[in-house]
Amino acid sequence: MLRTSFTAAALVALLGIVACGGDDNDKSATSTVSAASADPARYCALTRQLDAEGEKFFAGLGREATEQQFEAAERRFVEQSGAKLEELRRVAPRQIAADVEALLAGMRQRAGLKPAIAVTEAQSGAADKRIQAYEKRTCAT
């Protein structure tokens, strides 16, 4: 998961999102792809890896870091972790696929990169809560 340790501690409240807008055809296409390739065990393994990597990556920022420093660090992390983040999107379980999609878009948006979808902070908080609840139920820590 991109758990609290990653989203809150590593990114200090720079959270991810839920998709806004779009038509039903877009949603069903995403769901179909996710359902066809969903792999909860791989999803959980990837989130553990990304949590650990994120904690190490962001450890040096400290609480005094500026918003610009966080944005630059998040951009580097997203770019360096691109393959794992894309795999996370592909293997996300159907129940949270839209939230994961939104979380990844929010990370890109906060990093100053072009997101696949636009997101808000309110959507980000809601998506993060749903992902955390799923991971708490499903992913062994």
Side-chain angles (χ1 to χ4, degrees):
M1 110 174 207
L2 298 169
R3 303 183 208 346
T4 301
S5 61
F6 179 72
T7 56
L11 301 178
V12 187
L14 297 176
L15 301 172
I17 36 300
V18 166
C20 63
D23 60 28
D24 291 339
N25 291 337
D26 291 340
K27 291 177 188 172
S28 64
T30 299
S31 297
T32 302
V33 169
S34 296
S37 58
D39 183 345
R42 180 64 183 148
Y43 171 86
C44 290
L46 277 168
T47 60
R48 284 189 293 274
Q49 289 174 6
L50 286 164
D51 281 349
E53 291 169 10
E55 286 180 27
K56 285 173 73 175
F57 192 89
F58 291 96
L61 279 180
R63 294 192 181 266
E64 295 79 32
T66 66
E67 186 176 327
Q68 292 79 16
Q69 289 170 319
F70 275 110
E71 181 179 312
E74 190 156 18
R75 182 180 310 111
R76 286 189 308 274
F77 184 78
V78 168
E79 290 171 344
Q80 290 175 13
S81 303
K84 285 183 184 174
L85 293 171
E86 176 56 24
E87 183 180 1
L88 187 74
R89 185 194 64 75
R90 282 192 324 267
V91 301
R94 181 185 49 77
Q95 303 94 310
I96 58 167
D99 290 324
V100 171
E101 193 83 37
L103 178 65
L104 297 176
M107 288 175 69
R108 291 187 62 80
Q109 189 170 294
R110 285 188 312 276
L113 301 168
K114 185 178 180 197
I117 56 175
V119 296
T120 67
E121 287 297 318
Q123 292 169 320
S124 119
D128 185 52
K129 286 180 182 179
R130 287 187 295 270
I131 289 170
Q132 285 185 40
Y134 172 86
E135 291 173 356
K136 185 176 182 180
R137 289 187 314 268
T138 308
C139 300
T141 52

